[in-house]
Amino acid sequence: MSSVSWLWSRALLTNKSFLWLLFIVNALGTVYGYIWYGDQLIETYDHNPAWQLIFVPDSPTASLFFTLALLYLLFPPKRELKGPAKWLRSAIEALGVVTSVKYGIWAVAMIIAGAMKGTPMVWENYMLIVSHLGMAVEALLFTRFFAFGIAAAFGAACWLFLNDMIDYSYYVYPWLPQVLDDILPDVRNFTVGLTLFSFLLTVLALRLAERSRGLK
């Protein structure tokens, strides 16, 4: 095995020490993400119905689901899960992958779009680009180790479509660089299209994982 391919090998990705490192990094990133959304959450609470709060923090909720999904790899069930426990695992893992792919790409796209329209790039922008790209990449890399299928991925995509509808109907989408306010319809269309793209990319990752297992 080459040194490059080792970076996405089962031996590394399922190593307990590496999984714990990834769990800690994602957990801290999730906490940081909710803090980042603090002002918007307060404003939403002050001016909108409370039920809309859940639709505000997109990226940290995605990383929260992925962090929870890692627990199934760190503490594998001693026997096969059935019924509600199986459905819960599938839902958490599917949401962790599909939402992380979407919002990982979305955040990077919005930062770059803002920069192209004149928003100055500061160190936080570069940090967010790296961390959000990491969200998307890790989600796709770990798809093969999770237990969810296409049906659960479709359910996660439906949640994202609902989130898109709420975001742009009630204006609780993540705060954008100000220079993007005048192209909000384009941002909305891109966001909805990215939901579909993230679902299809997840399906592709699942198919590749099935094919890889079939070749063994």
Side-chain angles (χ1 to χ4, degrees):
M1 180 183 297
S2 69
S3 57
V4 175
S5 61
W6 180 78
L7 293 175
W8 56 79
S9 68
R10 176 181 290 271
L12 173 64
L13 297 180
T14 61
N15 177 274
K16 280 294 178 70
S17 297
F18 183 79
L19 284 172
W20 273 116
L21 174 63
L22 207 60
F23 177 84
I24 293 169
V25 169
N26 278 273
L28 292 175
T30 298
V31 173
Y32 176 81
Y34 282 116
I35 293 173
W36 177 277
Y37 273 91
D39 290 340
Q40 186 175 358
L41 285 167
I42 292 171
E43 182 171 307
T44 302
Y45 180 79
D46 288 341
H47 298 96
N48 296 63
W51 64 266
Q52 293 177 13
L53 286 171
I54 193 174
F55 297 99
V56 173
D58 294 333
S59 292
T61 300
S63 64
L64 173 63
F65 280 120
F66 186 80
T67 303
L68 293 175
L70 290 176
L71 290 175
Y72 288 105
L73 300 180
L74 284 165
F75 303 100
K78 295 186 186 216
R79 50 189 174 181
E80 183 181 358
L81 297 178
K82 296 181 180 179
K86 181 178 180 180
W87 301 336
L88 178 62
R89 176 178 183 175
S90 293
I92 289 173
E93 292 177 342
L95 285 166
V97 171
V98 182
T99 62
S100 291
V101 171
K102 176 182 176 173
Y103 292 119
I105 297 172
W106 186 89
V108 173
M110 293 304 105
I111 292 170
I112 293 175
M116 290 177 65
K117 288 179 68 68
T119 299
M121 290 286 286
V122 297
W123 72 268
E124 284 182 310
N125 296 127
Y126 296 105
M127 179 271 291
L128 290 171
I129 286 175
V130 171
S131 61
H132 282 81
L133 280 178
M135 282 176 58
V137 170
E138 70 180 3
L140 291 172
L141 285 176
F142 274 85
T143 300
R144 59 186 162 136
F145 306 125
F146 292 147
F148 73 95
I150 292 177
F154 179 74
C158 288
W159 164 257
L160 284 176
F161 280 123
L162 174 64
N163 199 0
D164 296 340
M165 182 185 73
I166 299 298
D167 276 357
Y168 294 93
S169 296
Y170 296 98
Y171 301 98
V172 292
Y173 52 83
W175 284 345
L176 298 166
Q178 192 171 1
V179 294
L180 299 183
D181 288 344
D182 60 342
I183 58 167
L184 185 59
D186 296 323
V187 172
R188 178 199 60 211
N189 295 338
F190 172 77
T191 302
V192 174
L194 190 55
T195 291
L196 177 60
F197 176 77
S198 301
F199 167 67
L200 294 176
L201 201 56
T202 301
V203 170
L204 176 61
L206 287 169
R207 292 299 192 198
L208 290 175
E210 289 176 0
R211 181 179 177 185
S212 176
R213 286 191 290 265
L215 292 175
K216 292 181 180 179

